[in-house]
Amino acid sequence: MKSLLFVLVVLVLLSYVPPVRSGPNMYIRRLFSTCWRTKGVCKKSCGKSEIYHIFCDSAHLCCIDKKYLPVEFGK
């Protein structure tokens, strides 16, 4: 009975621990912030070698390297 009470107390205390401020690690964050078949990255602004192609959400752009963009036909 004491061990059950101890487990419940530990679970309650763990639920009150604030989340870490640094956030998820860099590799996990990059995996979940990808777009365009994982060739692009969702960012606020694109770099010089990248082109904006689509929106990730209302505040981020999908920045894709030029070599991964689809080829345009018949203009």
Side-chain angles (χ1 to χ4, degrees):
M1 186 68 178
K2 287 185 178 182
S3 62
L4 179 64
L5 182 62
F6 178 72
V7 169
L8 289 175
V9 169
V10 169
L11 289 176
V12 168
L13 289 176
L14 285 176
S15 69
Y16 288 112
V17 174
V20 178
R21 291 181 182 243
S22 63
N25 116 10
M26 181 182 69
Y27 301 108
I28 294 172
R29 185 175 52 227
R30 185 169 174 95
L31 176 68
F32 288 110
S33 68
T34 59
C35 56
W36 191 253
R37 301 182 188 129
T38 66
K39 304 284 188 200
V41 179
C42 299
K43 300 184 203 176
K44 294 242 182 213
S45 63
C46 297
K48 290 184 180 180
S49 65
E50 298 172 328
I51 294 179
Y52 140 76
H53 188 62
I54 57 174
F55 284 108
C56 291
D57 56 16
S58 62
H60 293 89
L61 304 171
C62 182
C63 300
I64 307 168
D65 195 0
K66 293 178 183 179
K67 65 182 176 183
Y68 294 125
L69 282 174
V71 180
E72 293 182 19
F73 291 104
K75 272 195 165 184

